[in-house]
Every structure is written in C-alpha cells, then in structure tokens.
Amino acid sequence: QDSTNSFVPMASSRKSAVGAVLLVIACWTTLQMSWLQGTPSMARVETMARNKLSNPARTLNPQLQLRTRLTPQVRESACGRKDRQNLKGYAAKKAGIVKKAQPYADEIRSNLVKWLQDEGMPDQNVEIRYVGPAGWGLVAKKPLKPGDEAIKIPESLLITSEKVLAESKFAAVMKEKKLPEYWQLAMFLVENYAMTEEDPENCKYAPYIKSLPDETGNVLEWTGREISDLLKGSPMERLAYQMISDVKEAVQFILKSVKGHPNAYYMSEARLRWAFSLLFSRVVRLTSRDRQLALIPWADMLNHKPDVQTYIDWDEKEQSVVFRPDRQYREGEEVFVSYGPRSSGDLLLTYGFVPSTASNPETEKVDLRFVLDGYDPYAGPKKQALKKYGLDSSWTFPLQLNRFPIGLVEYACFLAFRPKSDGEVEFYAKQLFGPAAQRVIPAEIDTIGRDLIQQECFNALSRYRGSVETDRLMLEEFEVIAQESIMSQDKRAAAAAAVRLRERAILRKTRDAIFRKGSGNFIQKLLRRIPTADLFS
C-alpha cells in the first residue's frame, strides 16, 4: 500500500514517533466530530486528520472542510464523475440499455421534427433548442402574448392506452392481465426501444425514441445508499423508497406476465426501469379528457417554471392538445409550462431537478406527521372520536412557508389534551371537528396543542443528517447559483442539500411562529419583508 494512503505512521525516529502521536490525537478528535455529525467514515477521518497535521490554521473549524465531510458517494460524484459514467455506460449495455449518441445532435433533432411533421404536426410557434443543463427546451419563434397558441399537437401523435392496445405486440398480455395504463405505456416505450435498436428503419417511433434521454436524474436512478445519505430525515426519504418499491413490483409483474411471449426478450428490468423513469418526468394527465394519461411528443420538451400557471391540456374544439402561455415571451426566449404546484422535494424525486431558490416559495412544503399516543389512557375513545369525524389516529400535514395547514392546530390540540372522561373526549372532538361554522379551539387546550406542534418541529429537525451550515457549504462546493435550477444528473448532492435547506427553513419558521398571535399572518408578513432568495436561509 502506498505510504500516502497508509494509516500507520512511520516510527523509525523520534520525529516519526512525535508525528505518530499527533496523528493519533488528530484522528481521535476528528472521529469524535465525525460521530457527532452522524456520518462516521474512516476514510473521512483519515483525510481530515492529515489535513489537520498538514495545515492546522486552515482546519481550526472542521466545518470549513467540506470535502472531507462528504460521503464517499458525494466525493465520487464530485471528483470521479467521468469514471462513474464509463462504468454506468458499460453496465447499461450489459442490461440492454444502449447509450445513445449526443442527445442534442442536430441529426436527432431534425429527424424528430421531420417525423412529427410527417405524422401530421402543424407548424408551431416554438422550436427545439438546447437550453443548458435542463437539456432541450422549446423557445418562441416569434413574440408570443398571453393566450396565444404556442403548441398544437393533433390526436394522431398522442401515445395513449388506446393507441398502445391497438399497436403493441403485447396488447393481448395487457388485456388479459388488465394492466394499468401507466404500465402499458412503459411496456410500449420498451418495445419501441428494442425495435429501434434492432431495426430503426422499420420502427415507426424510432425518431421519438432516439430523442429521449438515457437518464432523467429522478429517484429511480438513485442507489439505496444515495437515498439514505442524501435524504436522511426528510419525509422525501420514505416517499423515495415507496416509489422505488412500487416500480420494482410493477417491473417484476410485467416480466412474469410476458414469459413465453415471442418478444419477451424485449423486456428487461433495466429497460422497464428506464421507461418508468421517463414516464415520471414526461407523462401528462389530460384533465379535459377524463384525466387520460398520454405521452405527447414535442410538447414533452416544455420545461417547468414554478410561477407559471398554465398547463398542457386537451382542447375539444381543436381536437388537439394545446398549450397557451400565461405571459409574454420574446422571440428566442424559452417558453415554460407548469408541472403543477409541486415542492422541490417532489420535483427532485419525480423529475430529477430542484427549481431555483427564488422561484418556488409558494409551493414549497414539508410533511409533518402526528400520531396518537398509544399510552394515552383515553387513546381508544380518542381514536373512535377521530374516526367519527373522518380522521385517523395518525395524520400528516403539509407545512408551508406562508400558511398553516387547515386543521393542524385543532388536530394537535385533540391529541395533546388529557381528558378526564369519555364525555370530555366527545365534547372537545365536537368543538374541534364539528360543523365548520361552530368550530372553535378552547383556550384551555390551545397552548398544549401548539406545544405539541413545536415539539414535533424540533423532532423533525433533529432527524436530518448534518447541519444547515453543511448544506450551505455543499451548494457552494457545487457552485450553485440561486437563480438557476439544480439538475440531479450533475449535482445530485447539491440538489438534495437544497431540498433539506428548504424543508428545514419551513420547520424552523413554523416552530418559531406557532405561538405568535395571528401566526399565519406573521409568515405572510415575513414573505413581504424578506427578499424571496433569503427565505430558506
């Protein structure tokens, strides 16, 4: 082993012996700090210890040593990205996902546009361009006003369950097993991916398949270690595991269902996971068409902006999917759509990016979960009372910066108060959860309810790994700019740090505001007083 990587110091002289003692002391100190931060790592301990010895003045504050505190996964993503991409490419080929050429090549773009036009897409008021880290986007070909028709996609280009069942080689399996439309779309993507690899000239959807990304950055592409390292303590951690579990169950069921089919070799776990990942980030639910799920080539190039209020939807009169912007766009300016009022955590797990700090304050949220104390002597009567009013003995409330969730204080008060009889349980349940016009929070239980909320905020904050300062330094390390979105493919650790910072800020502000008079108005005033970019500090 190279001496620079050895953890055993040379001791052939007095000088070496002194160095050994200093190294042991430094390692012990660093190990204590590492343990306190909740992520002990011997590799990190060794690195920090050597840094202490080589430059004591620079390491007086261990929190300044960002690189030494990052997990191995984060260090690898920051320092060995090229090696990781090579390995991922090799693994993808073995699994049946062949890495495509540069996704923004002119040939791919021109072939996609030609295919869309041949399939009936009319002239559009937007065009595809490379827009930076987000990849492709649609930009205005001419000035657009609010309400102008920016995009119009005819029904013939929509990829829906009906089209899949009419064209897929696996249609009989889908019908026999009564597969959900989401699964059908995933299978159709894989089927056409395989056909594109085998014989692109005879695959109708080859130009569209070739335009799709190999990776989206969403949670289906994360390792379990990345989830536990980057989302520790966040409610997003539980959601991430649930999403992966649901997809894994779907994949296994599909693979089992196609056994014996002559084209069963099209399907593989890697390809299906890729397809579900794409659906997470591209499928659209058409509200005006009975909430039908659809892949919409061309329109799925639109990127999200949190303050945009307009969506892609079906226009019955035009018999097409139409998008009309809610604002003016100059020629050459990127046109944005809304993916819905989603938090940064939701966008990261589903779409693989986190919006800029300044753009998403109204839709940021963090879930706070309350559970009835099983040791409460009146837990049974309380549970029955909650059930009577349509509630459960555990409930999750989405906290936001600018408001308290409806029913938060009432629910906390009911869980926290200690009744003396069954009748008292029913009395307070009616006061708190009865007809809306008659609801009131009795003064005698208001304080204990707010105490519980404050305590749960403290508990939630304590579950996060690391510190706020660590997360801020992470953003500095990856040179994150407040006005730009953070893409998970390139800066996964930074994207997760941004989510943690925003969730913590909401928990802290809720904790601090819960006892203020007119506390909901307090946060609203805070929003007006402090610049948006500073809300998550």
Side-chain angles (χ1 to χ4, degrees):
Q1 186 179 15
D2 192 297
S3 62
T4 57
N5 294 322
S6 174
F7 203 33
V8 181
M10 300 296 291
S12 58
S13 66
R14 177 180 293 183
K15 186 174 182 180
S16 298
V18 172
V21 172
L22 289 175
L23 180 59
V24 170
I25 293 171
C27 288
W28 174 246
T29 304
T30 306
L31 182 59
Q32 285 183 308
M33 290 182 175
S34 177
W35 178 77
L36 288 171
Q37 290 169 4
T39 53
S41 164
M42 287 307 296
R44 190 181 65 202
V45 169
E46 179 180 359
T47 305
M48 289 182 69
R50 294 188 182 282
N51 284 342
K52 281 175 178 288
L53 289 175
S54 62
N55 194 350
R58 182 168 167 257
T59 57
L60 285 176
N61 181 359
Q63 290 194 344
L64 295 178
Q65 291 297 314
L66 176 64
R67 288 187 183 275
T68 60
R69 290 201 315 282
L70 302 185
T71 64
Q73 285 70 29
V74 175
R75 288 199 302 273
E76 189 271 334
S77 65
C79 307
R81 191 172 293 118
K82 183 178 291 186
D83 292 337
R84 182 179 66 170
Q85 288 174 344
N86 290 339
L87 288 171
K88 286 175 72 175
Y90 173 73
K93 280 190 176 182
K94 289 192 69 176
I97 295 291
V98 181
K99 303 293 282 186
K100 297 191 285 288
Q102 169 57 255
Y104 309 116
D106 289 338
E107 181 182 357
I108 292 176
R109 179 171 50 190
S110 60
N111 287 345
L112 174 65
V113 173
K114 183 179 184 302
W115 173 72
L116 290 167
Q117 292 171 341
D118 290 346
E119 293 295 319
M121 185 180 79
D123 288 340
Q124 303 287 306
N125 290 322
V126 293
E127 62 183 0
I128 298 178
R129 286 190 195 171
Y130 176 63
V131 294
W136 273 343
L138 295 179
V139 302
K141 291 167 62 177
K142 65 177 186 179
L144 295 174
K145 301 188 300 294
D148 283 352
E149 188 181 273
I151 292 175
K152 183 178 180 180
I153 306 298
E155 184 176 18
S156 60
L157 277 167
L158 306 187
I159 302 176
T160 62
S161 175
E162 286 84 353
K163 179 170 286 188
V164 170
L165 293 176
E167 298 182 11
S168 174
K169 297 176 181 179
F170 297 93
V173 174
M174 297 174 188
K175 292 175 183 176
E176 180 188 349
K177 299 295 183 179
K178 298 180 180 179
L179 300 184
E181 57 180 334
Y182 211 94
W183 298 16
Q184 295 173 18
L185 291 173
M187 292 177 69
F188 194 66
L189 279 175
V190 171
E191 178 183 349
N192 281 278
Y193 186 101
M195 292 168 64
T196 298
E197 290 300 317
E198 284 187 351
D199 188 6
E201 298 300 323
N202 292 313
C203 179
K204 173 183 174 182
Y205 296 95
Y208 178 58
I209 294 296
K210 287 182 178 181
S211 74
L212 297 173
D214 296 304
E215 300 174 354
T216 65
N218 69 30
V219 73
L220 295 187
E221 298 166 5
W222 294 32
T223 65
R225 181 63 182 271
E226 283 178 318
I227 293 172
S228 62
D229 276 355
L230 302 180
L231 299 178
K232 183 68 176 178
S234 168
M236 291 294 112
E237 181 184 17
R238 180 181 177 185
L239 179 58
Y241 285 123
Q242 184 62 54
M243 292 167 70
I244 290 174
S245 175
D246 289 346
V247 169
K248 185 176 182 179
E249 181 181 340
V251 167
Q252 295 305 316
F253 189 90
I254 291 171
L255 292 176
K256 184 178 178 181
S257 299
V258 300
K259 276 187 176 179
H261 192 282
N263 299 106
Y265 68 94
Y266 283 179
M267 301 291 157
S268 71
E269 186 174 343
R271 284 177 173 176
L272 284 165
R273 203 164 50 241
W274 167 80
F276 276 108
S277 179
L278 279 176
L279 290 177
F280 275 12
S281 62
R282 286 179 178 258
V283 76
V284 175
R285 192 173 289 281
L286 299 172
T287 306
S288 300
R289 202 175 179 180
D290 297 326
R291 296 180 59 77
Q292 182 182 41
L293 287 175
L295 282 167
I296 311 173
W298 183 263
D300 60 8
M301 298 288 182
L302 282 168
N303 290 317
H304 170 76
K305 198 172 185 180
D307 61 347
V308 171
Q309 301 297 316
T310 47
Y311 305 87
I312 299 171
D313 203 0
W314 176 256
D315 189 310
E316 189 65 28
K317 182 180 178 181
E318 297 287 343
Q319 285 294 293
S320 299
V321 166
V322 175
F323 175 69
R324 296 182 174 88
D326 62 351
R327 63 197 63 194
Q328 290 186 347
Y329 288 100
R330 301 184 302 275
E331 180 180 349
E333 187 176 2
E334 184 177 3
V335 177
F336 291 97
V337 71
S338 172
Y339 293 170
R342 298 172 178 269
S343 69
S344 292
D346 191 2
L347 289 169
L348 175 60
L349 297 192
T350 308
Y351 294 91
F353 74 94
V354 172
S356 64
T357 302
S359 65
N360 212 39
E362 294 293 330
T363 53
E364 289 296 355
K365 69 178 180 67
V366 57
D367 289 339
L368 190 65
R369 182 176 171 83
F370 292 83
V371 180
L372 178 63
D373 183 3
Y375 292 101
D376 187 330
Y378 286 87
K382 281 188 176 182
K383 188 174 182 178
Q384 290 301 316
L386 288 168
K387 185 176 180 180
K388 177 180 177 181
Y389 291 99
L391 298 167
D392 203 351
S393 56
S394 64
W395 206 262
T396 300
F397 291 90
L399 303 183
Q400 292 183 276
L401 273 171
N402 60 346
R403 65 183 66 88
F404 291 146
I406 295 173
L408 169 67
V409 178
E410 290 87 343
Y411 190 87
C413 287
F414 189 74
L415 259 58
F417 96 101
R418 291 292 181 255
K420 298 178 181 178
S421 67
D422 290 358
E424 202 172 13
V425 171
E426 179 55 36
F427 171 79
Y428 282 112
K430 186 176 181 179
Q431 293 275 300
L432 296 168
F433 310 124
Q438 301 174 19
R439 288 179 193 169
V440 62
I441 301 177
E444 62 271 19
I445 64 172
D446 181 76
T447 299
I448 59 173
R450 293 176 188 271
D451 273 333
L452 177 61
I453 295 171
Q454 193 173 69
Q455 184 58 52
E456 288 301 326
C457 286
F458 273 113
N459 293 342
L461 285 165
S462 70
R463 287 191 284 270
Y464 285 88
R465 174 172 287 176
S467 65
V468 170
E469 182 62 23
T470 302
D471 288 341
R472 288 180 184 148
L473 288 169
M474 180 78 72
L475 299 184
E476 292 179 14
E477 172 77 5
F478 283 92
E479 299 179 350
V480 171
I481 300 173
Q483 287 72 34
E484 292 183 357
S485 295
I486 311 171
M487 311 309 295
S488 173
Q489 297 104 310
D490 302 320
K491 300 177 180 179
R492 186 163 300 168
V499 169
R500 294 193 300 267
L501 279 172
R502 297 171 192 189
E503 290 178 347
R504 282 167 155 159
I506 294 172
L507 288 166
R508 289 199 312 273
K509 292 186 191 315
T510 302
R511 176 198 67 193
D512 297 341
I514 194 65
F515 278 105
R516 294 173 183 262
K517 296 294 182 181
S519 50
N521 291 332
F522 163 75
I523 298 181
Q524 199 67 265
K525 292 174 184 177
L526 184 73
L527 283 167
R528 288 195 295 266
R529 189 176 77 249
I530 302 178
T532 304
D534 295 332
L535 281 173
F536 302 104
S537 62

